[in-house]
Structures are given as structure tokens and as C-alpha cells.
């Protein structure tokens, strides 16, 4: 993790001042740096920001800058006018930056005073140069108190503020998952978590998060509760489902404190927090999300070849962020899903409307962040114009959408804001506040008057020049000005004798003399006053307009969410049309039927029509005879992994409200999606891969419910064949008998096909074999694969023919030895005997394993993993009844 280290060489400032080589400037530097140990100090020195010592070494490495020296101190510098680019890059590396400016003008004699005027951190940066348009910029905080953990995160640029909580014992599952979901740029923690192994392990996987620790007393629930009430202007936090002892309160309050300190604003636009519970969303751990390549691919972490890529049809930054969030938080509530679907469908059925809306959306800027800038008093006049143009575009779209339930806000407010900006602000105003050129003529009569004086300068001066010309008779008399001496009258040497007595000589040049007059001085004073007044008045008027708009911050943020919603549904419609997707039937059943389903990403990258669609029909309904467990065998490269993932992705797409890549689909909502991939695919993570595989499998077995969807791809591959097979077998039994959830299990252990259970279906990938030519048809069919075609794949890969021949011989002999060992199907419904036959060692003996999951064990397991604190009395009674029933057979 990017943790800033103490970058000052040990020793106090006093000690250093005694050292002979330290200049007064270095002493000043070190004393300021002492106050900013956790930041990289940008120390302003003329036209540069300089860094010294360890800061210089680190920054020169990160930004590839030349490292020089000042005295004995390592130093590197950045030109002040390009500073934002460098800051942006350091923020991306998870660094915090303190900007130290010169206060007062350097006089060359004494040391210029310097002060840190701003601290910029990855999670609190406000300038658009430091932000990514398409994703949120979250600052997060995690606090563990009294056995519970609160996790809160906020994007101050958009005011998105969320929190959730879990029991401390569930830290392992939840911390990584939440971190992965919100991808914070910066994380704040109490010091007591510095030694928490689970947290530290997660943070090591997320090196780019800026992490900092604060003394534990900062995380006080009671104070935080008051802090939140003040922020939200409410007497209590009931409407956010929080009370004083809610675990979410301490981290949420601390985030606000921290923001106040770093941004020096109380973020008035942050007026609420969303507390979410996992049950609202499909639960997915981070490794499932990664394996399914939802928002980023496994290879290089970009969104290329991810599901997000297929859906990247949003037009606005707000829409892009919302699309990402939808993918990370699929819904479980059928009504909400159907509501989204209906809006997507509306666009699909009305392409003219879709095109119109998307075209206009292309002109809408980031209203959400603009509103944040207005509220935090950062917006300049160009921002207001951007806001106006965006609102006007949005109003145009609203004319078409307001009848269809996309909007709830009052559009007259948007009209008023847009009119206010149009009437008051110039079309192309200055961005600085102290240069004028902001306010339109006609907005203020006072300003118009100052401008009139100012604009008439030429006329007044010309009139005066004419006057003096006439009275003096000097025809080439001119009034000129320059920035150094202001206005003056210039008269050539030849006319020196005609100069009237009221002319005061200011400067004699070779060919001409420069004069002033009392009248000219007076005109000059008026002009200067008018310019000053114009700037002052424009600034005051601008601030007035801005604060009027700031009163509507909530409205603007709500509108931004409406824009994002319309943009995302339009994008989903666009994707559906482009890729030929259909609206799935989503309900509360436990069905999962897909006809002609496709993998959205694989299909996208294959030439049109080459992807082979496949069906699936499983159901976890209690009274159904349909299978809920599909066991898929087939050679490598046959398309197993693709088939598995495509079905998980279809479930996920359905539950974000999207159409799905299929001819027809019926999806009963799932509460969790798990996607496990056998160890060798996870090598990049460098852990003991088999241990990871088993930890992840254990997690599924502990947390899956009847409504979950489990994808297991070659689980058990990371160990020896016998171990792997036995584990795969036992895990399958547990899924079939104890969890009863929808499962697709791909394996190369053919022995597993002898599992026998009424709700298990054997599936395999069709392969055609003609004249020794093997073709993978990529079509799923019922039954077990007969041949693993491993030798065929080896030959495709170019192994020498002699090796291939020898391999075939060995295979033949293995097959013949195994004849007697091969039993018939093993019925595993509540039976736990395993017979393995085809592996060399077990050829001779049939191994009978002890009962792996007896009813007692299942009950015991459940007792150990259930949480009485989290249960209603009714649920507890139901549980006991169920346990009794399952043990009563004994
Ligand atoms: P397996 O897991 O059986 O080894 P994969 O799912 O990794 O096989 O697929 C192997 C290759 O086949 C992939 O590169 C993929 O592009 C292609 N493929 C898989 N399924 C299909 C399909 N249904 N239609 C067309 N190509 C497919
Ligand atoms: Mg595979």
C-alpha cells in the first residue's frame, strides 16, 4: 500500500540548525516538512516547486524526473505552471501532496515567508484534472468496535455517501469484497487496525490505495453521531436507519471530519448517507467478480474484454459511473429489476427516441461534479455555463421522457437555474474571478455604469486631446499610455516651444517629451477606478449568482442521478439492439432457463455468427424434477469455461435490469453468485494456489443458499489427482445434498460422472471425430464426455509425433487395466462412498471413504455458522425444528 513514510532524516529542526551546512531556507523547509510528514511537500521556489531528501528521491522515481542536489540534499523540481499534471500522477500513485507557497514578495534580502496552503489527497481531490470521469473517487474508512465493523465511503465530488457493517468475525469475507466494490483511492483507519492481518493482507493486494492511520480516540460514535446530525441538518439519524450505536456511525463521522480538514469546506452538498445491507444486492466476493471479468479483465486489469466493455454505450460521465455501480451491485428485488427493464424496453421499442436521447446526452457534462463544485464554492463562471448548457440539453430530453416515469424532479427549477445563468453570465466568461469578463451587460445597472465609463475612455481621451490640440495649436499632440507610467501626452521636440504652461514634464526622451496635466490625471484616476470597480462588482455579482445556485445543490444532484439513470437505460437498450439481446423474464422462482445463450464478451470478439449458442435448463425449486446441478465434462478447449461464465453473466445482466444475450431467458433471482476457477488460473496472485482454491471453496460451502448460483471451474486441479478428485467429489455432494443451489461444475475428472443424484445432470461439449480429425463443436449436450482428447490437443500444440504415439500406447494400456476397476454409477444421494478407478494408484483397490458429511455434521456446521444475534425468535424456532427433523432419522 502506498503509505507515506517519514521523509525527514532523523533529528529535530533545532539540531539541524546547529549543523553548519544548513541554509536558512533549508531550515525553513525542514520545519514545514516536520508538520507534513505524511505528505510530499511541494516547496515553492520562484518558478518551481522543489522537493528535497526522501520526497525528492521518491518523486523522481515515480515521475521519472532528474534527481539533482542542493548542498547535500537530494532535490528535484517541477515547473509551477505544469504542476497539475504532476499532482494528478502522484495522486494516482496513492500519494498525498502539501502545496507550500511563498507568502509575500521575495525581496532578495530576507528569507521569503512560506506556508502550506493546500493539502491534496487521492480521496479528497476536487479538481477535474485529478479525477476520472467514468468512476467515483471514493474516500473510505473502516472502524472495528465492540465486535462489529463499520465501513463507510464517500465521493465528495458527487456527494455519494455509503456505509455498511458486518460482524468482526466476518472480516475476511467482507473487507476485501467491499474494498473491491468501491475501489477507494484513499482509506483511513484507526491505529488499532494496523496489526489486523486480514486487513493488511487485503491492502497488500491493493497497492495504490493511500492508507493512513489515526489514533483510536478519533473514532468516537457519540461525537460522530452529532457530527452526522449537524451535516444532514436532522435531529436524529432515524431516517437513515442509524442509531448511536450503529457501527456505520463512527467511520462516517470521521470521513466528514477528515474532509473538512483537507478541503476546508463543510461539503454542504452532502446531505445524506445510504446504509445498505448485502441482501439488497447480489453478493459476490472479489475473486468471483474478478473471475467473471465484470468491470476489468484478469489479464491487465483494464475494462477491455470485460462485461463493462459490452455495455460501454453511456454518453455522460454520470451514466458511466452509474453503469459501473449497477454492475457491481446487481439487484435482488424483482420489482426494481422489472422497473429498470421497462425503461430499457421503452428505448428498445422506440429507436427514434433512443437515438434522439443519446445524441443530446453527448452534450451533457458532468452535472453531478459541477454541482459539487458549486456547493463547495469552487465553481468558476465557465462551470456555470457548462451547467446551464447541460441543463438545457436535459430539459430537451425531459420533454420526451417525462411521461414515462424517468423523472421526479420539478423541471421549472432547472429552467430557472438555466435562465439565471443565461441572464447573468457571459457566454464565454473568464475563469479567474479577478479579471472581470464574467457578467453580462444588462444584469446590473451599477456594473453597466462602470463599464460605460471604462468603455468611453477612448472617447473621453480623444475629446480631451482635441481640446488641448485646439488650444495649444500642436497638431501632432498625442495621448498614449503604457503600463509603467500610465497615461501621458507626447509632444515632439520640434514643438517644445509651444507647450502650454499647465503641462507638467514627466519624462524627456531623445525626440519627444512626455507630459501630464491635472485633467489627464483625473481622467486616469477615473479609468483606474472604473476597472477596479468593474472587477470588484463582477466578482460580487458572480458569487451572488453562484450561491443562489448552490441553494439548489440537492436538486442538481437529484437531476444528475436522473440523467445518469436515463443514460444507463438508454445504453443498455443500445447494447441490446447492437448485440441482439432479449428481455429476460425475471421472477422470484428458482428457475434458470436460457435458450441459445451466448457469452457477451467472447461473442463480441469473434467474427459475427461464429459463436455457438447454448441452452441451459436448471431449477432449484423443491418440487421440481429438473436438475439443479450440471456436471460438465469435456476436453480442454471444448468451451466449458465459456459456457459456465456465460450463464453467470446472463444471471448478472438480468439482475441489473439489462437484456441478455440469448433467444429467450427465464431467470429466478439469485442472491449470490460464486465463480471459482481451479488453481492454475490464479498463478498470477503468487499465493499457494491450492490453499487459495480451498479457502475460496470453503467460503462457498459456508455461505451459499438455495437461491445462490455457483460456478466451479476445474476446482481441485491444484493438487494431486486423487486428492483433487476426492475433494471435487465431496464438494459436489455437499452442494447437491446440503446446499441444493444451482450449480455448474466443469471438471476434467471423468470419474466424477459416476456421481448419481436425481437432480444432477451430466453435460458435455460435443466433439466431432472424423477420419482422425477432431473438431470442437462448442455445443453443449446431455451426457458424459467419452474422451479427454488430451493427446489430440498435445498434438495440435506440436509435441513430436513419437511422443504422441507413445502417449497413445500408454493410454491404451491404462484403459485395459482399468476395465475391472470401473464400476457402475455411484448413487450419492445421501451416500458418501467414493470409488475412483482410472487413476493409476487406485486401479488396484477400491477406496471407500468414511462418510464425509453426516447429518450430524451438517447440523453442527449450521449451528456453528449461524448467528443468534442476527435472528428473529421465529427463525430460531424454525431452525431447531429443521435440525430436529434431519436428526430424527437416527
Ligand atoms: P475449456 O474451458 O473447455 O478449455 P474455453 O471455454 O476456455 O474451453 O474455450 C476455449 C476457446 O473456445 C475459447 O478461446 C473460446 O473463444 C472458444 N469458444 C468457447 N465457447 C465457444 C462458443 N460457444 N462458440 C464459439 N467459440 C467458443
Ligand atoms: Mg476452462
Amino acid at each position: 500500500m502506498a503509505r507515506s513514510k517519514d521523509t525527514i532524516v532523523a533529528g529535530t529542526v533545532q539540531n539541524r540548525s546547529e549543523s553548519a551546512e544548513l541554509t536558512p531556507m533549508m531550515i525553513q523547509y525542514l520545519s514545514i516538512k516536520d508538520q507534513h510528514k505524511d505528505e510530499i511537500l511541494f516547496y515553492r521556489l520562484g518558478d518551481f516547486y522543489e522537493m528535497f531528501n526522501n520526497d525528492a528521491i521518491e518523486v523522481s522515481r515515480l515521475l521519472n524526473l532528474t534527481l539533482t542536489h542542493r548542498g547535500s540534499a537530494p532535490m528535484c523540481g517541477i515547473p509551477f505552471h505544469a504542476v497539475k499534471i504532476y499532482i494528478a500522477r502522484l495522486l494516482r500513485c496513492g500519494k498525498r501532496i502539501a502545496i507550500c507557497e511563498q507568502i509575500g514578495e521575495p525581496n532578495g534580502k530576507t528569507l521569503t515567508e512560506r506556508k502550506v496552503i493546500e493539502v491534496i489527497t487521492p480521496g479528497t481531490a476536487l479538481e477535474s484534472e485529478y479525477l476520472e470521469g467514468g468512476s467515483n473517487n471514493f474516500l473510505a474508512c473502516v472502524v472495528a468496535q465492540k465486535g462489529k465493523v463499520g465501513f463507510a465511503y464517500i465521493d465528495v465530488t458527487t456527494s455519494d455517501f455509503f456505509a455498511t457493517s458486518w460482524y468482526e468475525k466476518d472480516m475476511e469475507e467482507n473487507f476485501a469484497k467491499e474494498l473491491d466494490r468501491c475501489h477507494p483511492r484513499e482509506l483511513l483507519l484507526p491505529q488499532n487496525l494496523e496489526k489486523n492481518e486480514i486487513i493488511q493482507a487485503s491492502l497488500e493486494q491493493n497497492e495504490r490505495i493511500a492508507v493512513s492511520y489515526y489514533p483510536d480516540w478519533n473514532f468516537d460514535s457519540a461525537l460522530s453521531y452529532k457530527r452526522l446530525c449537524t451535516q444532514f441538518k436532522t435531529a436524529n439519524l432515524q431516517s437513515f436507519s442509524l442509531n448511536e450505536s450503529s457501527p456505520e456511525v463512527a467511520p462516517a463521522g470521521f470521513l466528514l471530519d477528515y474532509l473538512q480538514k483537507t478541503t476546508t469546506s463543510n461539503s454542504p452538498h452532502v446531505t445524506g448517507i445510504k446504509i445498505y445491507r448485502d441482501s439488497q444486492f447480489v453478493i459476490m466476493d472479489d475473486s468471483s467478480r474478478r473471475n467473471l471479468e465484470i468491470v476489468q479483465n484478469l489479464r491487465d486489469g483494464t475494462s477491455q474484454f470485460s462485461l463493462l466493455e459490452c455495455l460501454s454505450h453511456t454518453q455522460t460521465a454520470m451514466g458511466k459511473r452509474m453503469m459501473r455501480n449497477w454492475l457491481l451491485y446487481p439487484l435482488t428485488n424483482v420489482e426494481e429489476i422489472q422497473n429498470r427493464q421497462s425503461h430499457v424496453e421503452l428505448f428498445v421499442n422506440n429507436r427514434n427516441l433512443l437515438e434522439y436521447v443519446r445524441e443530446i446526452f453527448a452534450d451533457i457534462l458532468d452535472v453531478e461534479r459541477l454541482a459539487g463544485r458549486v456547493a463547495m464554492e469552487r465553481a468558476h463562471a465557465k462551470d456555470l455555463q457548462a451547467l446551464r448548457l447541460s441543463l438545457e440539453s436535459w430539459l430537451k430530453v425531459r420533454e420526451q421522457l417525462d411521461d414515462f416515469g424517468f423523472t421526479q424532479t420539478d423541471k421549472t427549477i432547472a429552467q430557472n437555474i438555466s435562465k439565471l445563468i443565461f441572464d447573468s453570465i457571459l457566454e464565454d466568461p473568464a475563469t479567474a474571478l479577478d479579471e472581470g469578463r464574467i457578467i453580462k451587460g444588462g444584469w446590473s445597472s451599477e456594473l453597466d455604469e462602470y463599464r460605460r465609463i471604462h468603455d468611453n475612455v477612448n472617447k473621453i481621451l480623444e475629446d480631451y486631446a482635441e481640446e488641448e490640440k485646439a488650444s495649444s495649436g500642436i497638431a501632432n499632440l498625442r495621448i498614449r499610455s503604457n503600463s509603467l507610467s500610465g497615461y501621458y501626452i507626447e509632444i515632439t521636440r520640434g514643438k517644445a516651444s509651444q507647450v502650454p504652461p499647465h503641462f507638467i514634464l514627466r519624462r524627456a526622451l531623445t525626440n519627444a517629451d512626455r507630459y501630464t496635466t491635472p485633467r489627464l490625471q483625473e481622467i486616469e484616476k477615473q479609468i483606474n477606478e472604473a476597472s477596479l470597480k468593474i472587477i470588484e462588482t463582477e466578482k460580487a455579482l458572480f458569487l451572488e449568482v453562484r450561491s443562489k445556485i448552490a441553494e439548489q445543490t440537492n436538486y442538481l444532484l437529484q437531476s444528475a442521478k436522473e440523467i445518469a439513470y436515463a443514460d444507463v437505460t438508454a445504453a443498455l437498450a443500445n447494447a441490446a439492439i447492437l448485440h441482439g439481446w432479449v428481455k429476460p423474464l425475471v421472477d422470484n422462482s428458482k428457475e434458470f432457463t436460457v435458450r441459445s445463450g451466448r457469452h457477451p464478451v467472447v461473442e463480441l470478439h469473434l467474427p459475427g455468427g461464429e459463436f455457438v449458442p447454448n441452452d441451459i435448463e436448471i431449477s432449484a425449486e423443491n418440487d421440481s424434477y429438473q436438475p439443479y446441478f450440471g456436471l460438465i465434462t469435456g476436453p480442454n478447449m471444448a468451451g466449458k469455461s465459456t459456457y459456465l461464465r456465460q450463464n453467470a453473466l446472463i444471471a448478472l445482466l438480468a439482475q441489473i435490469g439489462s437484456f441478455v444475450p440469448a433467444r429467450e431467458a427465464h431467470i429466478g433471482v439469485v442472491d449470490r453468485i460464486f465463480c471459482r476457477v481451479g488453481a492454475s488460473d490464479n498463478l498470477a496472485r503468487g499465493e499457494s494456489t491450492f490453499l487459495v482454491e480451498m479457502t475460496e471453496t470453503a467460503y462457498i460451502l459456508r455461505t451459499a443458499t438455495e437461491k445462490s448460483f455457483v460456478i466451479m471451474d476445474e476446482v481441485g486441479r491444484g493438487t494431486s489427482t486423487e486428492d483433487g478428485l476426492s475433494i471435487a467429489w465431496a464438494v459436489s455432494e455437499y452442494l447437491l445434498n446440503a446446499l441444493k443451489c444451482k450449480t455448474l461444475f466443469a471438471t476434467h475428472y471423468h470419474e466424477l460422472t459416476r456421481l448419481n443424484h436425481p437432480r444432477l445432470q451430466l453435460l458435455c461439449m460435443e466433439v466431432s471425430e472424423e477420419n482422425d480429425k477432431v473438431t470442437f463443436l462448442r455445443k453443449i449436450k446431455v451426457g458424459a464426455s467419452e474422451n479427454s482428447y488430451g493427446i489430440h490437443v498435445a498434438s495440435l500444440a506440436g509435441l513430436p509425433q513419437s511422443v504422441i504415439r507413445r502417449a497413445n500406447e500408454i493410454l491404451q494400456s491404462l484403459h485395459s487395466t482399468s476395465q475391472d476397476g470401473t464400476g457402475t454409477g455411484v448413487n450419492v444421494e445421501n451416500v458418501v462412498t467414493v470409488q475412483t478407478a482410472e487413476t493409476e494408484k487406485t486401479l488396484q483397490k477400491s477406496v471407500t471413504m468414511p462418510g464425509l458429511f453426516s447429518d450430524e455434521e451438517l447440523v453442527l456446521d449450521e449451528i456453528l455458522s449461524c448467528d443468534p444475534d442476527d435472528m428473529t425468535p421465529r427463525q430460531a424456532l424454525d431452525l431447531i425444528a429443521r435440525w430436529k427433523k434431519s436428526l430424527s432419522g437416527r
Side-chain angles (χ1 to χ4, degrees):
M1 78 223 79
R3 198 180 321 184
S4 30
K5 301 221 169 54
D6 183 350
T7 44
I8 298 197
V9 196
T12 65
V13 177
Q14 277 83 3
N15 287 343
R16 298 193 145 267
S17 63
E18 285 155 25
S19 144
E21 52 183 284
L22 280 184
T23 60
M25 195 207 77
M26 262 333 253
I27 294 170
Q28 181 192 50
Y29 172 84
L30 288 171
S31 87
I32 296 174
K33 177 69 204 179
D34 209 30
Q35 308 294 312
H36 291 278
K37 290 182 186 159
D38 289 342
E39 285 93 37
I40 288 174
L41 185 66
F42 276 36
Y43 181 81
R44 181 70 178 263
L45 206 61
D47 283 347
F48 279 80
Y49 290 101
E50 301 290 0
M51 278 138 275
F52 298 101
N53 299 336
N54 288 351
D55 277 4
I57 296 170
E58 186 172 21
V59 170
S60 68
R61 183 177 53 80
L62 288 173
L63 303 186
N64 221 351
L65 299 174
T66 322
L67 189 65
T68 58
H69 283 86
R70 190 180 184 102
S72 61
M75 172 175 103
C76 75
I78 286 166
F80 84 96
H81 57 81
V83 69
K84 283 193 172 173
I85 303 167
Y86 292 99
I87 294 179
R89 283 167 60 192
L90 286 174
L91 289 173
R92 253 178 273 137
C93 300
K95 299 289 161 201
R96 305 151 55 94
I97 296 128
I99 309 283
C100 173
E101 290 292 353
Q102 294 173 180
I103 309 291
E105 285 298 306
N107 58 16
K109 290 181 207 123
T110 53
L111 183 66
T112 315
E113 193 188 331
R114 289 185 176 80
K115 216 172 114 188
V116 169
I117 53 144
E118 194 180 9
V119 172
I120 306 169
T121 78
T124 62
L126 298 168
E127 302 295 321
S128 50
E129 287 89 342
Y130 306 151
L131 302 169
E132 269 169 53
S135 44
N136 275 107
N137 203 66
F138 283 123
L139 167 72
C141 177
V142 60
V143 175
Q145 280 166 351
K146 298 186 193 135
K148 291 189 179 161
V149 181
F151 185 80
Y153 49 102
I154 186 167
D155 179 346
V156 69
T157 65
T158 62
S159 85
D160 287 311
F161 195 4
F162 300 97
T164 188
S165 61
W166 58 79
Y167 288 98
E168 202 164 347
K169 65 181 170 53
D170 301 328
M171 183 72 103
E172 187 155 9
E173 290 146 32
N174 289 292
F175 182 69
K177 181 180 70 194
E178 293 301 336
L179 211 59
D180 195 63
R181 186 140 66 175
C182 72
H183 263 292
R185 301 279 301 268
E186 186 173 357
L187 176 68
L188 317 174
L189 309 97
Q191 270 161 357
N192 67 44
L193 291 179
E194 204 162 355
K195 296 214 172 65
N196 184 302
E197 281 171 19
I198 297 170
I199 288 184
Q200 296 310 322
S202 274
L203 292 178
E204 259 152 43
Q205 304 262 326
N206 289 279
E207 285 184 341
R208 297 217 145 184
I209 303 176
V211 177
S212 38
Y213 297 87
Y214 297 85
D216 297 348
W217 50 261
N218 282 293
F219 303 83
D220 179 276
S221 273
L223 284 179
S224 284
Y225 190 85
K226 289 203 190 96
R227 178 78 182 78
L228 291 166
C229 290
T230 316
Q231 179 77 32
F232 303 153
K233 301 195 173 72
T234 50
N236 56 48
L237 300 178
Q238 257 167 23
S239 57
F240 304 103
S241 353
L242 290 176
N243 59 45
E244 271 165 49
S245 57
S246 306
E248 292 90 348
V249 166
F254 185 73
L255 285 178
L256 292 177
D257 279 341
Y258 180 82
L259 275 174
Q260 174 126 40
K261 247 190 297 169
T262 39
T263 64
T264 61
S265 157
N266 59 7
S267 312
H269 58 307
V270 177
T271 54
I273 182 166
K274 284 198 194 86
I275 308 298
Y276 62 91
R277 299 277 168 254
D278 258 344
S279 61
Q280 279 173 268
F281 305 110
V282 176
I283 301 178
M284 263 204 243
D285 54 281
D286 62 320
S287 93
S288 293
R289 198 173 284 126
R290 272 173 229 219
N291 286 331
L292 288 173
E293 307 192 286
I294 294 169
V295 294
Q296 57 186 73
N297 68 39
L298 278 171
R299 213 164 19 89
D300 62 5
T302 64
S303 67
Q304 242 204 331
F305 302 104
S306 72
L307 183 59
L308 180 61
E309 185 194 13
C310 304
L311 301 174
S312 60
H313 297 279
T314 48
Q315 300 280 51
T316 69
M318 299 157 282
K320 198 168 171 198
R321 290 195 292 271
M322 187 178 273
M323 180 70 93
R324 222 187 134 82
N325 288 341
W326 282 19
L327 282 170
L328 296 177
Y329 298 83
L331 302 174
T332 53
N333 180 300
V334 172
E335 258 167 54
E336 282 176 61
I337 295 169
Q338 285 172 346
N339 191 36
R340 287 184 186 175
Q341 277 186 340
S342 69
H343 287 130
V344 177
E345 189 172 33
L346 179 91
F347 282 124
V348 169
N349 291 340
N350 194 339
R351 307 225 176 155
N352 288 338
L353 176 67
L354 175 63
E355 255 159 54
Y356 175 79
V357 166
R358 281 175 44 83
E359 198 179 311
I360 296 186
F361 271 160
D363 294 333
I364 296 189
L365 295 166
D366 200 337
V367 174
E368 201 166 32
R369 284 193 168 144
L370 287 169
R373 290 172 62 80
V374 170
M376 298 190 76
E377 303 181 344
R378 295 247 172 181
H380 48 60
K382 273 203 165 67
D383 287 338
L384 296 194
Q385 283 297 7
L387 184 63
R388 173 180 72 86
L389 292 171
S390 302
L391 286 179
E392 280 166 12
S393 298
W394 172 230
L395 284 166
K396 262 197 265 177
V397 173
R398 283 193 65 160
E399 275 171 32
Q400 305 298 319
L401 293 187
D402 278 358
D403 291 343
F404 303 111
F406 281 90
T407 49
Q408 276 165 357
T409 53
D410 174 4
K411 72 175 174 205
T412 57
I413 300 179
Q415 285 161 342
N416 293 340
I417 296 173
S418 140
K419 183 169 182 330
L420 171 65
I421 299 170
F422 180 80
D423 290 345
S424 60
I425 310 287
L426 289 171
E427 296 252 325
D428 186 20
T431 46
L433 284 188
D434 45 11
E435 286 176 5
R437 280 195 303 114
I438 298 178
I439 303 292
K440 242 186 197 168
W443 178 248
S444 143
S445 51
E446 190 192 355
L447 177 64
D448 289 350
E449 178 58 18
Y450 293 129
R451 282 203 176 132
R452 196 188 56 75
I453 298 171
H454 193 263
D455 293 348
N456 284 342
V457 169
N458 283 338
K459 178 86 177 77
I460 295 170
L461 281 175
E462 269 164 36
D463 288 353
Y464 176 59
E466 285 310 313
E467 227 173 81
E468 291 290 3
K469 256 188 226 175
S471 64
S472 65
I474 305 173
N476 63 356
L477 170 154
R478 297 246 181 293
I479 297 184
R480 297 173 188 271
S481 73
N482 66 33
S483 58
L484 211 68
S485 34
Y487 291 88
Y488 53 83
I489 301 170
E490 196 164 275
I491 293 174
T492 49
R493 269 291 152 75
K495 305 281 181 193
S497 58
Q498 281 168 267
V499 172
H502 67 279
F503 277 34
I504 306 157
L505 183 66
R506 301 238 335 237
R507 200 167 171 176
L509 305 176
T510 349
N511 301 321
D513 293 323
R514 291 178 181 176
Y515 298 88
T516 184
T517 67
R519 170 83 181 120
L520 184 60
Q521 279 170 339
E522 197 190 303
I523 297 174
E524 181 169 10
K525 195 167 147 234
Q526 271 181 2
I527 293 168
N528 288 342
E529 262 177 20
S531 315
L532 263 179
K533 285 278 186 204
I534 288 171
I535 287 170
E536 251 171 47
T537 321
E538 289 208 49
K539 184 172 173 182
L541 290 167
F542 172 76
L543 294 181
E544 197 178 277
V545 170
R546 191 174 69 185
S547 69
K548 268 226 178 74
I549 299 171
E551 287 166 19
Q552 297 297 346
T553 305
N554 271 335
Y555 173 84
L556 289 171
L557 290 172
Q558 252 174 300
S559 302
K561 289 283 183 243
E562 289 178 350
I563 295 171
Y565 181 87
D567 190 19
V568 173
T569 44
L572 289 177
N574 208 52
I577 293 169
L578 224 64
H579 309 314
W581 294 357
V582 298
K583 181 172 116 175
L585 166 65
V586 176
D587 58 20
N588 272 320
S589 71
K590 292 182 198 146
E591 308 277 330
F592 192 88
T593 306
V594 177
R595 308 255 172 245
S596 300
R598 287 113 58 201
H599 189 299
V601 185
V602 176
E603 182 179 39
L604 189 68
H605 292 279
L606 279 180
E610 277 197 13
F611 192 92
V612 181
N614 274 311
D615 297 349
I616 185 170
E617 191 164 355
I618 52 179
S619 164
E621 290 295 353
N622 283 333
D623 52 0
S624 165
Y625 292 104
Q626 271 193 14
Y628 49 75
F629 189 111
L631 183 71
I632 300 135
T633 44
N636 275 326
M637 288 299 287
K640 300 183 298 298
S641 299
T642 308
Y643 178 72
L644 255 52
R645 285 173 171 79
Q646 91 186 25
N647 287 306
L649 291 177
I650 287 173
L652 187 139
L653 280 170
Q655 289 187 231
I656 68 168
S658 169
F659 282 26
V660 298
R663 187 160 48 77
E664 196 187 325
H666 175 187
I667 315 290
V669 288
V670 303
D671 64 351
R672 290 149 203 259
I673 297 177
F674 299 95
C675 178
R676 287 294 166 270
V677 177
S680 67
D681 288 8
N682 261 334
L683 272 177
R685 285 171 63 177
E687 294 158 71
S688 157
T689 50
F690 182 63
L691 180 66
V692 173
E693 192 183 324
M694 286 303 110
T695 318
E696 293 182 348
T697 307
Y699 173 64
I700 299 186
L701 300 188
R702 248 184 306 127
T703 48
T705 77
E706 279 185 15
K707 297 202 85 171
S708 305
F709 191 14
V710 177
I711 297 288
M712 298 273 227
D713 196 354
E714 308 270 15
V715 165
R717 186 160 58 177
T719 183
S720 76
T721 314
E722 293 133 66
D723 281 3
L725 171 60
S726 318
I727 291 167
W729 192 296
V731 166
S732 302
E733 282 179 358
Y734 193 85
L735 284 161
L736 273 161
N737 292 328
L739 297 174
K740 301 185 166 72
C741 53
K742 288 173 278 205
T743 306
L744 293 178
F745 199 120
T747 184
H748 62 283
Y749 293 125
H750 285 260
E751 295 86 339
L752 267 190
T753 57
R754 279 185 283 116
L755 264 165
N756 197 352
H757 187 284
R759 303 293 291 271
L760 174 137
Q761 183 170 44
L762 294 181
L763 297 165
C764 64
M765 305 305 296
E766 213 171 317
V767 179
S768 101
E769 242 178 314
E770 260 175 46
N771 316 326
D772 272 0
K773 193 170 171 295
V774 177
T775 317
F776 297 140
L777 299 175
R778 265 123 209 181
K779 197 82 194 160
I780 195 98
K781 66 169 188 187
V782 176
S785 158
E786 283 138 32
N787 188 330
S788 81
Y789 300 95
I791 297 175
H792 164 70
V793 175
S795 122
L796 280 183
L799 277 190
Q801 276 310 311
S802 56
V803 175
I804 299 290
R805 258 197 316 278
R806 177 69 186 134
N808 267 318
E809 281 167 27
I810 298 172
L811 183 69
Q812 290 300 322
S813 80
L814 284 178
H815 273 321
S816 55
T817 348
S818 72
Q819 287 308 309
D820 8 299
T822 314
T824 47
V826 181
N827 190 325
V828 299
E829 198 181 7
N830 294 319
V831 177
V832 282
T833 321
V834 179
Q835 283 185 309
T836 55
E838 267 146 82
T839 52
E840 207 177 355
K841 261 200 187 158
T842 49
L843 288 177
Q844 289 81 16
K845 51 179 183 179
S846 226
V847 186
T848 305
M849 298 208 179
L852 287 181
F853 302 111
S854 64
D855 285 338
E856 282 95 338
E857 273 176 305
L858 292 179
V859 170
L860 208 59
D861 229 33
E862 237 182 304
I863 295 176
L864 288 175
S865 64
C866 79
D867 183 352
D869 286 346
D870 221 20
M871 237 180 252
T872 63
R874 176 78 233 169
Q875 285 168 329
L877 280 178
D878 285 349
L879 264 183
I880 295 173
R882 192 147 59 74
W883 291 333
K884 185 152 183 230
K885 191 169 153 213
S886 86
L887 295 179
S888 58
R890 312 265 133 186

